[in-house]
Amino acid sequence: RPGTATLRGRTLTLPISCRRACAGTATVRVARTVRVGGRTALRQARSLGRASFRVRADRSASVRLRLAPSTAAALRRARVSTVRVDLRIGQSNVQTVRVSLRRR
């Protein structure tokens, strides 16, 4: 269950909580194609970053993703407010959620 993602500089922080102990990977994508200055800056299918996580039962953890400088700049310039997070927990369970993005 991810909360609100925070973009500070090039680091995207995503809080994740689990009712039972869980481990997996989080892949972040833009919710829709981003255009900056009339040009396509980020495509919807493109992965912005991926990080692994491990959360104990009834706890939360912060997953930090380091973005490329051009990707972070495009997110800021386009004022992207929502990103899509694909959570792969275990081997096969994939859950896709939309997360609001807060800039600092």
Side-chain angles (χ1 to χ4, degrees), residues 27-96:
T27 305
V28 178
R29 304 175 193 280
V30 288
R32 57 188 168 85
T33 301
V34 174
R35 297 179 64 82
V36 175
R39 299 170 63 186
T40 300
L42 299 171
R43 296 200 182 278
Q44 184 175 357
R46 181 175 171 216
S47 171
L48 303 181
R50 179 181 300 162
S52 60
F53 63 90
R54 180 172 291 147
V55 182
R56 295 191 311 189
D58 291 328
R59 297 285 177 111
S60 61
S62 293
V63 178
R64 289 183 178 85
L65 294 106
R66 187 90 165 154
L67 303 177
S70 60
T71 301
L75 287 175
R76 260 190 240 91
R77 267 186 268 128
R79 297 187 179 136
V80 172
S81 61
T82 305
V83 292
R84 195 176 83 198
V85 180
D86 298 330
L87 296 171
R88 180 178 294 277
I89 300 171
Q91 295 297 318
S92 61
N93 185 14
V94 177
Q95 180 182 3
T96 301

Side-chain angles (χ1 to χ4, degrees), residues 3 5 11 22 32:
T11 304
C22 63
R32 57 188 168 85

